[in-house]
Amino acid sequence: MTLEQQKLYRKIDEILWFNWDPIGINNIGSRNEYDDYVPQVYNLKITGAGKIDIANYLDKVTTVNMGLGSDMEFSNEIAEKIIALK
């Protein structure tokens, strides 16, 4: 992975930890709580996936993997942040 790719990967990780944080643990939990989801979001980003694809993935993780309620508006907001990354 190039330095630029590493920076993008880290930025996605930070968005998931500080902004997405669907279980609300970023101030008390393990910093690696969402590490399993970063590779897929990163792959979606670098392959040119749109906001809807990223939002759908985040919502699926939230509902299926975590058993929480769906909030597509929030998932779209997070996806927009990821799409905006350079």
Side-chain angles (χ1 to χ4, degrees), residues 4-17 19 38 41-49 51 54 58 77-86:
E4 223 172 88
Q5 291 168 326
Q6 290 173 10
K7 287 180 182 180
L8 177 60
Y9 193 92
R10 188 171 50 249
K11 287 177 184 179
I12 291 170
D13 174 63
E14 290 174 354
I15 287 173
L16 296 185
W17 178 250
N19 303 116
V38 178
V41 174
Y42 174 80
N43 284 328
L44 287 167
K45 168 70 176 163
I46 66 169
T47 59
K51 178 178 82 170
I54 295 172
L58 294 173
E77 289 174 22
I78 301 303
E80 285 175 6
K81 290 178 183 289
I82 292 164
I83 294 291
L85 292 174
K86 303 292 183 210

Side-chain angles (χ1 to χ4, degrees), residues 6-71:
Q6 290 173 10
K7 287 180 182 180
L8 177 60
Y9 193 92
R10 188 171 50 249
K11 287 177 184 179
I12 291 170
D13 174 63
E14 290 174 354
I15 287 173
L16 296 185
W17 178 250
F18 291 109
N19 303 116
W20 181 51
D21 187 29
I23 56 178
I25 60 156
N26 68 7
N27 60 343
I28 57 170
S30 172
R31 178 61 178 90
N32 64 352
E33 182 66 31
Y34 305 127
D35 284 358
D36 290 345
Y37 310 114
V38 178
Q40 181 62 28
V41 174
Y42 174 80
N43 284 328
L44 287 167
K45 168 70 176 163
I46 66 169
T47 59
K51 178 178 82 170
I52 291 172
D53 292 327
I54 295 172
N56 283 338
Y57 173 74
L58 294 173
D59 193 66
K60 181 181 174 186
V61 167
T62 302
T63 58
V64 175
N65 297 33
M66 298 177 183
L68 302 172
S70 176
D71 186 348

